[in-house]
Amino acid sequence: MPARTIVRLGHPALRTPAQPLGPSRIAEPEIQSLIDDMVETMHEAHGVGLAAPQVGEGVQLFVYQAAGPPEIPLHVVINPMITPQVRELVYDWEGCLSIPDLRGLVPRHPAVRVQGLDREGRQLDYLVSGFEARVVQHEFDHLNGVIFLDRMRDLRSLAYFEEWEAYLVGRSHQELEETAVG
Ligand SMILES: [Zn+2]
């Protein structure tokens, strides 16, 4: 059993902007347990990212990690601010643990700057690009009540996983694993 239940599309938590977490609260057992539970829940669900609203918690917190390739170590990001590094947008496939089974092409910035706090309350400031930038933007959106369907420019690429696998990406396993599911 996952540590927390992932809420699905239609649950109001997914459409409610999350509140910033007071830095003094980060060390509280309740928040540290929430972080541990979110990491466990993400792993159980075979996702690469999970935001607090997806487990019904309205705080600005997300976690992400990917076995890869490309491998991404575990990140815990609190009160994030995201700054695009280039204006261009690139399209790639995304899914979401709160919208099970659907895939769609979503435009995202190819590189972003991430600022925020880690689980010890230390300042974070780093650049991400490619797949990691996509995951970060997807999770960041969850903190603002935005889901990947809202970002799609053309719903015609929307597909169920089985059909997507059969018709849209062929049998390339690497492409499957690179799909962002958060
Ligand atoms: Zn998601």
Side-chain angles (χ1 to χ4, degrees):
M1 275 290 286
R4 302 269 178 149
T5 302
I6 297 174
V7 302
R8 305 200 305 177
L9 189 61
H11 192 292
L14 293 175
R15 291 307 196 175
T16 307
Q19 297 300 309
L21 201 50
S24 61
R25 285 195 59 204
I26 295 172
E28 289 177 6
E30 183 197 341
I31 298 300
Q32 292 296 316
S33 299
L34 172 61
I35 293 168
D36 290 338
D37 288 354
M38 284 174 60
V39 172
E40 193 182 328
T41 303
M42 171 179 70
H43 290 161
E44 290 272 344
H46 305 291
V48 295
L50 189 68
Q54 292 183 276
V55 294
E57 298 288 340
V59 291
Q60 291 184 13
L61 156 66
F62 64 76
V63 299
Y64 67 96
Q65 181 176 24
E71 189 186 340
I72 302 170
L74 176 64
H75 287 75
V76 176
V77 187
I78 297 165
N79 300 344
M81 193 169 87
I82 303 293
T83 315
Q85 297 302 290
V86 279
R87 284 181 63 190
E88 97 182 80
L89 293 168
V90 291
Y91 284 80
D92 210 344
W93 295 98
E94 291 186 26
C96 181
L97 295 175
S98 295
I99 312 167
D101 247 14
L102 283 176
R103 297 291 181 274
L105 281 175
V106 184
R108 299 284 187 190
H109 296 286
V112 295
R113 179 182 179 185
V114 183
Q115 291 167 286
L117 300 171
D118 70 8
R119 69 179 299 169
E120 273 84 44
R122 291 176 301 216
Q123 209 75 42
L124 291 173
D125 191 347
Y126 59 100
L127 295 173
V128 292
S129 61
F131 179 66
E132 186 171 355
R134 178 168 296 276
V135 173
V136 163
Q137 288 167 89
H138 179 116
E139 300 311 329
F140 180 77
D141 271 354
H142 276 304
L143 303 183
N144 294 297
V146 174
I147 58 170
F148 82 87
L149 300 176
D150 304 333
R151 297 286 187 194
M152 289 179 69
R153 296 276 176 85
D154 185 346
L155 290 173
R156 282 178 296 182
S157 70
L158 200 59
Y160 287 106
F161 183 80
E162 209 174 301
E163 284 73 13
W164 172 76
E165 200 179 22
Y167 304 114
L168 298 169
V169 292
R171 302 185 193 285
S172 162
H173 204 69
Q174 190 176 349
E175 278 188 77
L176 298 186
E177 289 189 338
E178 281 176 3
T179 299
V181 179

